[in-house]
Amino acid sequence: MRNVEENSLKEGITLLKKSISSYSSLNELFGKIEDIEIPSLQEISFKKDKSSLEEFSSILNVAFSIASKPFSLNKKEEIIESSSRSNGLSSEAVRKTLMDSSLWKRYGDKMVPEQVYYFQYYDEYIIYENIFIITFIESLYEELERCRSFYVSLLGVYPNRLNIDDDYLSIALKQLNKMFSKLDRIKDTSFYKRVSKSPKRIKNVIPTNILLHNQKYNAIYKFYKNMISYYDDVSLNVDLARYYYFLLLKNLKLKGFKLRENKELPLFDNKEIALPTSIHFKNKDFDLSLSYLSSSFLIEIGKGKLRYSSLLNICPNEPFSVTTSKNKCSSYDYISLWHLGYQVDDNVVLLSKDYLDEMGLISTYLDSHLYIEPASEDIYSKYCPICKEDKLLERGRDTYYCPFCNSTYHLEEEKIIFISRRKK
């Protein structure tokens, strides 16, 4: 996720916790969940984006100033030099030379030093604070790359509406291009070339006197601390799962599902939103159970004797990449803050190519697995109801898979039940 999206997620989870804090259990909340306002992380992100890009541009100026004139340690190195090439010996160097007989040689009745001790002074740039600056520059570069990829993904393409010079996306991309040019100039400095050769990088920075009291270094330090919303991928993934959990609950309620639990289910666990271990729902057509596994939701669906399942992987970052799972499911789906996808062999195909808000993404996901429609069994045992192709593969009794649009469906009692309804 982009930095601004991570900050939006933090803010969204805080708002969500406040919204549900007055309810004593999930059972009570689910009865009124349509009244709960779930903040849109997309909206929060868009509102923060403009100021965020301006802040990035400003801090880049500070980074460039440091790269042009960095802080350094003046170090002393002891060397032995030819006496003919040395001048301006310090008193300490003279004393050491006098005490080292191996440097002296007799010429007639005189002892003359052929070599002398000499102290060479130089600036050392590879220090903790400068390695941190390199870490920051690299982190900022990665963040700006994520921003650029995100904005490019939203660009209009023919035959849809194309972007013009003064719209927000065009302006943002122009700002980003300028920032990348400035980053390239920083990377071309002798400071960057020298210090970046150090293999060490500092993620969890410890404040030093320089980072606290040098004005420029302190500005970078404060900015970096604010950039890091989540220090590990696990907590980021769990918070995104908590957010989508409530969108799942709200959508299930809107689709007529009722909670089928006699015991009271907790809303919180150690003051954090509790994720489901296994909760059950039912509407007029389907039985459904929802469980949170590591980084994913397992959704098991029943319609009479028909049983199928979906593993919805929660993905903070895009592009989606295939994940391995111990759970054998009918379909493997992927959701981020902006897109929905599904797995075909070793690839993830986008189901939502056009812009959808978070509720739209979850609704599209559930509709792809919870759709039932009157249909001719004779016709649709031969032709795909999505793309009309006739080369169907049987996946069990009265269950068919279309290799052209990747839809899977079941036929019974002159009805079609979509196990996975995909778009062509």
Side-chain angles (χ1 to χ4, degrees):
M1 294 179 84
R2 296 179 301 134
N3 170 250
V4 70
E5 292 164 358
E6 290 185 10
N7 289 334
S8 300
L9 177 58
K10 280 273 189 187
E11 184 178 329
I13 290 296
T14 300
L15 292 171
L16 184 57
K17 285 164 74 173
K18 287 181 180 177
S19 298
I20 66 174
S21 60
S22 60
Y23 294 91
S24 60
S25 66
L26 177 63
N27 311 60
E28 181 191 1
L29 173 70
F30 190 74
K32 301 175 182 178
I33 196 164
E34 59 265 49
D35 300 327
I36 297 294
E37 186 176 341
I38 301 176
S40 169
L41 303 186
Q42 293 181 0
E43 283 186 17
I44 297 173
S45 296
F46 275 131
K47 287 176 182 177
K48 290 177 180 289
D49 261 337
K50 186 176 181 181
S51 61
S52 176
L53 287 178
E54 289 171 355
E55 289 168 5
F56 285 151
S57 181
S58 177
I59 203 67
L60 259 178
N61 291 332
V62 179
F64 184 76
S65 178
I66 290 175
S68 301
K69 193 175 180 181
F71 185 88
S72 62
L73 291 180
N74 192 252
K75 287 196 170 183
K76 180 174 73 173
E77 181 181 32
E78 182 183 272
I79 61 173
I80 296 176
E81 278 268 48
S82 168
S83 58
S84 63
R85 290 195 298 168
S86 62
N87 54 64
L89 294 183
S90 66
S91 57
E92 185 181 357
V94 170
R95 182 181 58 80
K96 291 196 73 170
T97 301
L98 289 171
M99 294 177 64
D100 191 342
S101 61
S102 65
L103 304 180
W104 294 75
K105 189 172 182 180
R106 181 178 292 278
Y107 288 92
D109 58 351
K110 292 182 179 180
M111 293 290 291
V112 178
E114 285 194 317
Q115 293 177 305
V116 295
Y117 280 94
Y118 185 76
F119 293 107
Q120 178 175 275
Y121 294 86
Y122 64 96
D123 290 327
E124 175 58 80
Y125 291 103
I126 303 178
I127 59 175
Y128 181 88
E129 292 82 2
N130 286 337
I131 293 172
F132 162 67
I133 296 298
I134 296 299
T135 305
F136 169 76
I137 291 167
E138 291 174 348
S139 299
L140 187 59
Y141 188 89
E142 291 170 4
E143 178 64 23
L144 293 177
E145 277 288 8
R146 284 191 288 268
C147 288
R148 181 159 62 182
S149 296
F150 167 70
Y151 287 124
V152 169
S153 74
L154 298 181
L155 284 176
V157 292
Y158 183 83
N160 299 320
R161 177 182 173 274
L162 300 181
N163 295 86
I164 57 177
D165 277 343
D166 60 351
D167 68 18
Y168 176 70
L169 281 181
S170 299
I171 293 169
L173 284 169
K174 287 175 185 176
Q175 283 181 289
L176 284 166
N177 288 337
K178 288 180 181 178
M179 284 188 263
F180 277 111
S181 295
K182 187 159 287 186
L183 275 167
D184 289 338
R185 288 170 62 196
I186 291 173
K187 290 186 172 185
D188 200 40
T189 61
S190 58
F191 162 79
Y192 185 90
K193 290 176 180 178
R194 190 185 304 182
V195 182
S196 63
K197 290 178 181 177
S198 169
K200 186 178 180 181
R201 293 295 180 269
I202 299 165
K203 296 295 184 183
N204 297 321
V205 60
I206 299 169
T208 64
N209 282 333
I210 296 171
L211 294 179
L212 292 176
H213 302 300
N214 181 292
Q215 187 177 5
K216 294 176 182 177
Y217 281 75
N218 182 248
I220 298 286
Y221 169 70
K222 286 180 177 177
F223 193 93
Y224 182 78
K225 294 292 284 185
N226 290 330
M227 273 183 69
I228 308 300
S229 301
Y230 291 90
Y231 283 96
D232 62 271
D233 291 338
V234 174
S235 55
L236 170 62
N237 201 296
V238 169
D239 264 1
L240 189 58
R242 288 179 175 126
Y243 178 75
Y244 270 126
Y245 172 42
F246 275 84
L247 289 176
L248 280 166
L249 292 175
K250 194 164 190 173
N251 265 281
L252 288 173
K253 183 71 182 294
L254 292 172
K255 294 183 188 305
F257 279 90
K258 295 181 179 179
L259 187 62
R260 295 183 61 201
E261 297 288 346
N262 294 322
K263 64 178 181 179
E264 295 285 292
L265 300 174
L267 273 174
F268 292 95
D269 181 15
N270 290 327
K271 299 183 179 180
E272 298 295 342
I273 295 171
L275 287 162
T277 49
S278 180
I279 53 177
H280 301 84
F281 304 87
K282 182 177 177 64
N283 71 0
K284 63 183 180 64
D285 294 315
F286 299 98
D287 296 305
L288 183 146
S289 72
L290 175 64
S291 306
Y292 178 71
L293 309 177
S294 177
S295 304
S296 58
F297 288 104
L298 175 63
I299 297 175
E300 297 172 291
I301 302 164
K303 168 69 175 171
K305 293 182 180 180
L306 178 65
R307 292 286 182 272
Y308 56 99
S309 58
S310 163
L311 192 71
L312 179 61
N313 293 282
I314 307 300
C315 305
N317 299 311
E318 294 189 40
F320 295 127
S321 56
V322 170
T323 57
T324 56
S325 172
K326 296 177 183 178
N327 299 83
K328 187 173 177 58
C329 297
S330 310
S331 70
Y332 299 89
D333 299 83
Y334 298 77
I335 194 167
S336 68
L337 185 58
W338 302 97
H339 291 104
L340 178 67
Y342 60 91
Q343 185 174 329
V344 179
D345 300 323
D346 293 327
N347 298 303
V348 178
V349 179
L350 287 185
L351 183 58
S352 62
K353 293 182 181 178
D354 299 324
Y355 169 76
L356 290 172
D357 63 16
E358 300 96 331
M359 279 290 283
L361 290 173
I362 286 293
S363 181
T364 300
Y365 165 72
L366 290 174
D367 284 344
S368 71
H369 299 295
L370 296 170
Y371 194 81
I372 185 169
E373 184 82 15
S376 165
E377 292 184 48
D378 182 54
I379 293 293
Y380 293 109
S381 62
K382 299 178 178 65
Y383 300 94
C384 173
I386 299 295
C387 66
K388 304 179 187 178
E389 292 289 344
D390 60 357
K391 293 179 175 57
L392 302 174
L393 303 176
E394 289 195 48
R395 290 281 176 90
R397 186 176 179 182
D398 298 322
T399 299
Y400 301 90
Y401 170 73
C402 174
F404 295 92
C405 69
N406 302 304
S407 295
T408 305
Y409 58 94
H410 179 78
L411 295 168
E412 66 173 44
E413 299 176 354
E414 295 301 311
K415 290 182 180 178
I416 188 167
I417 302 165
F418 281 95
I419 294 172
S420 299
R421 181 167 61 120
R422 310 305 191 188
K423 295 178 182 178
K424 181 169 172 56

